[in-house]
Amino acid sequence: MRISVENERKLVNEILVNIGVQEDHAKIITEATLDSDLKGFTSHGLGRFPQYIRGIKNGFIETKGDYEVVKDEDSIALIDGKSLFGQYIAHEAMMMAINKAKETGIAAVGTFNSNHFGITGYYSDLAIRNDMIGIVICNTEPGVAPLGGKKAILGTNPIAIGIPSETYIAVDMATAVSARGKILEAKRKGVEIPPNTAIDKDGNPTTDPEAALGGSILPFGGVKGYALSFMIEIMCGPLVNAAFGTHVTGTAGDYKEDCNKGDLFVAINPAKFVSIDAFKEQVEEFVKEIRESGDTFIPGDLEVRRIAENEENGLEIDEKLYETLQTICEDTHIDLDSYLTE
């Protein structure tokens, strides 16, 4: 079954408002959720709503209130998210970095005491829309063993970078072979994960998502992915007053403890280096050179293609997700079927 883009927007917003989320927060959370699904990151879109509902019911996600800026300087800020929805906190943090960078040229805003915020690239896209380079990183609870180890200590620790240009140029990726959300999605669907993605608790290769979640996802690119994840752990832990390593909790969905991971949002203003028009022109020259070199692609091309396909055909909802959403909708007095098509 499928749901149109506009119907998903309406459904997500209605669920959020019906469970008590402030309307201004709900609008931001809705757009971030839809962006995940449109780009094909379904593990971080509507499929995450059961996790958020659990977080609210267990008292670890707040639906009302606001964050606190605990440090605010010319190019730096630190935000206590007060356990609100991660999408709202991340949006506000990135916009704060953008506004600071308009004046100073570069700015970084850290957040702690927030929650899962969907895909990292939604927030680097905010920078793109404001003619800024956006860089976003965060840590997650342990899912990746250090290179050569068996015990998961590092998070899947994603990074996103967006470049303002006529061409959509963006990368959004975990520093592990797979995001944990994709493993959770495979478990929900009852399907195997690809080979060379994870090891079980004994260090043996596995394609069983359950065993992978109990073991370790592999870092991408061996030592390179491990090293990058290690650095992100520090910049999104000690640097921003958040947890790190095995102390990180609350990102995988069980919500038995508070979410204590950290995020860092960086905005760079090209206009403080060269004119923005000159910057974009030279970026496009580079894009042209890449495209003319052969059958290749620009980072961001795949997302552009998926968005176009999903806008035309609607977004797929698998049977397991439908059953879970049906329960959520029944509890919030929403007719789920009225939003869906076959």
Side-chain angles (χ1 to χ4, degrees):
M1 61 200 76
R2 291 185 173 273
I3 185 169
S4 70
V5 172
E6 190 53 37
N7 275 1
E8 177 166 328
R9 178 179 282 112
K10 291 176 181 177
L11 174 63
V12 171
N13 193 77
E14 187 174 1
I15 291 173
L16 289 167
V17 171
N18 284 11
I19 61 177
V21 178
Q22 290 178 211
E23 290 192 12
D24 55 333
H25 295 196
K27 183 177 180 181
I28 291 169
I29 300 163
T30 296
E31 292 306 316
T33 301
L34 186 59
D35 189 64
S36 299
D37 285 332
L38 278 171
K39 290 175 179 173
F41 297 104
T42 54
S43 57
H44 289 58
L46 196 53
R48 281 281 175 149
F49 260 69
Q51 170 179 330
Y52 303 148
I53 299 298
R54 282 194 298 274
I56 294 169
K57 286 183 175 178
N58 292 343
F60 296 120
I61 297 180
E62 297 294 332
T63 58
K64 289 182 169 59
D66 215 339
Y67 58 87
E68 178 186 358
V69 180
V70 296
K71 184 168 290 188
D72 191 1
E73 300 180 6
D74 289 346
S75 294
I76 300 291
L78 185 62
I79 290 175
D80 178 349
K82 298 295 185 180
S83 296
L84 291 161
F85 265 84
Q87 291 90 338
Y88 171 67
I89 299 302
H91 176 276
E92 297 299 284
M94 190 73 230
M95 292 308 300
M96 185 180 294
I98 289 165
N99 289 328
K100 286 180 177 292
K102 288 177 181 178
E103 300 298 324
T104 65
I106 183 169
V109 176
T111 68
F112 67 97
N113 195 19
S114 182
N115 278 288
H116 185 272
F117 61 35
I119 58 169
T120 319
Y122 177 72
Y123 309 100
S124 53
D125 282 359
L126 295 176
I128 291 175
R129 296 186 195 113
N130 285 272
D131 280 344
M132 302 268 181
I133 295 170
I135 303 171
V136 182
I137 54 176
C138 76
N139 65 358
T140 71
E141 65 185 81
V144 179
L147 198 65
K150 295 179 183 179
K151 180 183 177 181
I153 297 176
L154 299 151
T156 53
N157 295 4
I159 179 171
I161 303 174
I163 305 292
S165 178
E166 298 304 315
T167 301
Y168 177 66
I169 303 175
V171 62
D172 180 1
M173 64 182 192
T175 50
V177 172
S178 170
R180 188 200 309 269
K182 292 183 179 180
I183 310 293
L184 291 168
E185 185 175 52
K187 178 185 175 182
R188 187 189 79 225
K189 292 181 176 180
V191 299
E192 292 189 336
I193 58 176
N196 303 314
T197 297
I199 56 175
D200 64 19
K201 62 182 177 60
D202 298 316
N204 301 311
T206 183
T207 57
D208 178 359
E210 185 80 43
L213 291 168
S216 168
I217 308 168
L218 297 172
F220 86 86
V223 66
K224 295 180 181 179
Y226 162 60
L228 185 56
S229 181
F230 183 99
M231 298 302 179
I232 291 173
E233 197 76 47
I234 293 171
M235 290 189 288
C236 294
L239 182 65
V240 299
N241 195 37
F244 56 90
T246 56
H247 305 289
V248 182
T249 60
T251 66
D254 54 8
Y255 275 103
K256 295 177 181 177
E257 299 177 82
D258 274 317
C259 185
N260 59 10
K261 55 96 172 178
D263 316 308
L264 186 65
F265 304 86
V266 179
I268 302 172
N269 186 355
K272 293 291 187 178
F273 291 82
V274 296
S275 76
I276 189 63
D277 291 338
F279 175 81
K280 289 184 176 181
E281 182 179 343
Q282 291 183 12
V283 169
E284 284 302 313
E285 286 182 14
F286 179 53
V287 168
K288 182 180 179 183
E289 186 176 12
I290 294 293
R291 293 205 190 280
E292 291 176 348
S293 69
D295 185 16
T296 185
F297 67 95
I298 303 300
D301 280 355
L302 297 179
E303 285 81 356
V304 170
R305 188 182 309 161
R306 289 179 189 139
I307 289 170
E309 290 171 353
N310 287 325
E311 284 180 336
E312 180 178 355
N313 302 319
L315 299 147
E316 185 177 0
I317 293 181
D318 64 76
E319 190 63 35
K320 291 288 186 182
L321 178 57
Y322 171 80
E323 292 172 3
T324 306
L325 288 174
Q326 185 72 293
T327 300
I328 292 172
C329 287
E330 287 174 357
D331 290 343
T332 53
H333 310 290
I334 295 170
D335 180 6
L336 174 62
D337 291 335
S338 68
Y339 287 92
L340 305 179
T341 59
E342 293 296 329

